[in-house]
């Protein structure tokens, strides 16, 4: 049973920061990509960021470039999303997912998903 669990969401004022964490367990993955997606109220799920197995390649949506940083620990068990300079439009449920193949940017490429963690940015 694969489990993906996110944590770290909450309420923050515009301009503030949050750090999301994601842990994937229950299966021995090799060479997999981890990604973050978000879904705002009334909108479709959107790609935020992804990181490859070694951690030396990262990908970002244009809307978060320069503000968000994705990283993973050396043990490859955790992935983090550091979110700085948050804006009200960043308000969404953020979900972590495991990609086994396909486009980094497409939600359909990700096979295992967490339940999501809510981020609310007040103005």
């Amino acid at each position: 049973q694969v489990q993906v669990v996110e944590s770290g969401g909450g309420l923050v004022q515009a301009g503030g920061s949050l750090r999301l964490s994601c842990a994937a367990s229950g299966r021995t993955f090799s060479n997999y990509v981890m990604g973050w997606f978000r879904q705002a109220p009334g909108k479709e799920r959107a790609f935020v960021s992804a990181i490859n197995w070694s951690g030396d390649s990262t990908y970002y949506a244009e809307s978060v470039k320069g503000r968000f940083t994705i990283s993973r620990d050396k043990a490859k068990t955790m992935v983090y999303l550091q979110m700085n300079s948050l804006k009200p439009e960043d308000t969404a449920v953020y979900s972590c997912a495991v990609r086994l193949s396909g486009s980094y940017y497409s939600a359909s490429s990700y096979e295992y998903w967490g339940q999501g963690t809510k981020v609310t940015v007040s103005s």
Side-chain angles (χ1 to χ4, degrees), residues 12-93:
V12 64
Q13 288 188 331
S17 299
L18 280 175
R19 187 194 197 204
L20 306 184
S21 300
C22 172
S25 62
R27 171 179 165 173
T28 301
F29 296 101
S30 62
N31 201 29
Y32 64 92
V33 167
M34 295 290 291
W36 285 97
F37 287 76
R38 67 186 182 186
Q39 187 165 20
K43 295 187 177 181
E44 294 187 354
R45 180 180 284 171
F47 172 79
V48 175
S49 183
I51 187 166
N52 70 345
W53 170 255
S54 62
D56 58 4
S57 291
T58 57
Y59 309 86
Y60 297 95
E62 285 297 324
S63 59
V64 306
K65 275 185 182 177
R67 300 187 298 123
F68 291 11
T69 303
I70 191 170
S71 62
R72 66 192 310 166
D73 69 338
K74 291 183 178 180
K76 308 292 189 291
T77 59
M78 298 291 295
V79 173
Y80 306 98
L81 186 67
Q82 178 67 42
M83 306 186 296
N84 298 329
S85 302
L86 282 162
K87 305 175 181 180
E89 51 263 44
D90 294 317
T91 294
V93 174

Side-chain angles (χ1 to χ4, degrees), residues 46 50 102 121:
V121 184

